[in-house]
Amino acid sequence: MTLPAQRTGVLAKKLGMTRFFDETGQHIPVTVLSLDGCQVTAQRTVEKDGYTALQLGAGAKKPKNTSNGMRGHFAKASVEPKRVVAEFRVDEAALIEVGAEFTADHYVAGQKVDIQGLTVGKGFAGAMKRWNFGGLRATHGVSVSHRSHGSTGNRQDPGRTFPGKKMAGHLGQETVTTLNVTVWKVDVERGLILVKGAVPGHEGSYVKVRDAIKKAAPADVKRPGAFRTAGEAPAQAAAETPAEETSAATTEEGEG
């Protein structure tokens, strides 16, 4: 049995959350992800790099804020400077040419995906918020320190606090991967992917979206992926018709 080639994931921008109602009236909370110009910026091959992968970039970045080295890298790929860059391991059969821009139908409704992002930073937090400790007793001898974590030391032997002890400290800003998130809907025209539930990261952050590793991808997903090649303009037939109708209506009102 030959397994299908491992596809690349995509870089998406988290726009925020909203909700929809399905045909039964069930409330569906969704997170809206935008592809934001996700393009292939480089290929990694076994002959040259020792492994096979695709380097993707997403988001616009001013050239003046881009280092000279990265400016040369993007110029070689003939793409605009990107805000974020990441690599995705793929099979050799799933390599995509440099400059190709991904479209939202890279995923299909109902598909399971894994989403990786940087969690929201919450600064210095106490043990109750950071580790869900119960805190000290509310009465009977406890004064001023109801939310403290209690004793952290040991007896004379070993006479120290072990590394990794759950205590107050920095909370958030950790790389977290949420597995088996369901794709609820895709909007190809606007380049949006809507997934059920929450995903790591704050609004405006970039996340990695890839096919779920614990669930088989649907048979109708596009391989090696859904994308527009470099220089290929997106379909604008649907957008041109309303514009023509608006122009005609404006002309008729002017004549009247």
Side-chain angles (χ1 to χ4, degrees):
M1 178 180 177
T2 303
L3 295 176
Q6 179 182 356
R7 303 195 312 159
T8 180
V10 297
L11 287 171
K13 184 178 182 180
K14 179 178 176 181
L15 299 183
M17 294 192 68
T18 184
R19 65 176 182 170
F20 290 91
F21 295 90
D22 61 13
E23 59 277 0
T24 64
Q26 183 70 27
H27 166 245
I28 307 295
V30 299
T31 301
V32 183
L33 304 176
S34 171
L35 290 182
D36 197 21
C38 181
Q39 288 182 277
V40 180
T41 56
Q43 290 183 347
R44 303 287 185 241
T45 59
V46 176
E47 296 77 12
K48 184 178 180 181
D49 306 286
Y51 64 101
T52 306
L54 284 175
Q55 183 192 82
L56 307 185
K61 188 175 183 180
K62 293 181 179 179
K64 70 173 185 177
N65 296 332
T66 307
S67 65
N68 289 332
M70 291 304 296
R71 266 190 277 183
H73 177 69
F74 292 129
K76 181 179 179 181
S78 298
V79 299
E80 295 293 329
K82 299 297 183 180
R83 182 169 296 278
V84 293
V85 176
E87 287 189 4
F88 292 88
R89 290 292 188 103
V90 298
D91 292 336
E92 189 173 355
L95 285 174
I96 300 173
E97 66 180 30
V98 175
E101 182 176 353
F102 288 90
T103 56
D105 52 347
H106 186 73
Y107 300 103
V108 297
Q111 179 181 356
K112 300 290 186 179
V113 295
D114 297 339
I115 302 179
Q116 182 183 90
L118 197 65
T119 59
V120 175
K122 299 181 180 179
F124 191 95
M128 291 182 68
K129 181 175 181 179
R130 190 183 186 198
W131 300 111
N132 198 30
F133 280 12
L136 276 59
R137 298 185 67 177
T139 57
H140 296 289
V142 177
S143 175
V144 188
S145 55
H146 304 285
R147 295 182 62 88
S148 66
H149 45 60
S151 175
T152 61
N154 294 279
R155 306 181 74 174
Q156 183 173 353
D157 181 26
R160 65 190 179 94
T161 300
F162 290 114
K165 179 71 175 178
K166 292 182 178 179
M167 302 171 66
H170 188 267
L171 177 61
Q173 281 289 301
E174 296 179 335
T175 300
V176 172
T177 303
T178 304
L179 303 178
N180 298 331
V181 181
T182 303
V183 176
W184 186 71
K185 185 179 180 181
V186 294
D187 189 334
V188 180
E189 293 182 1
R190 294 188 288 180
L192 301 179
I193 303 172
L194 282 66
V195 298
K196 287 185 179 180
V199 301
H202 59 80
E203 295 182 5
S205 63
Y206 288 85
V207 297
K208 296 180 181 179
V209 186
R210 65 168 187 259
D211 295 340
I213 60 175
K214 294 185 177 181
K215 299 289 185 180
D220 55 345
V221 297
K222 296 184 178 180
R223 299 184 182 276
F227 54 89
R228 294 189 294 266
T229 57
E232 181 181 352
Q236 298 179 349
E240 289 176 355
T241 303
E244 293 174 356
E245 293 176 355
T246 303
S247 177
T250 304
T251 305
E252 292 176 359
E253 290 177 0
E255 292 176 353

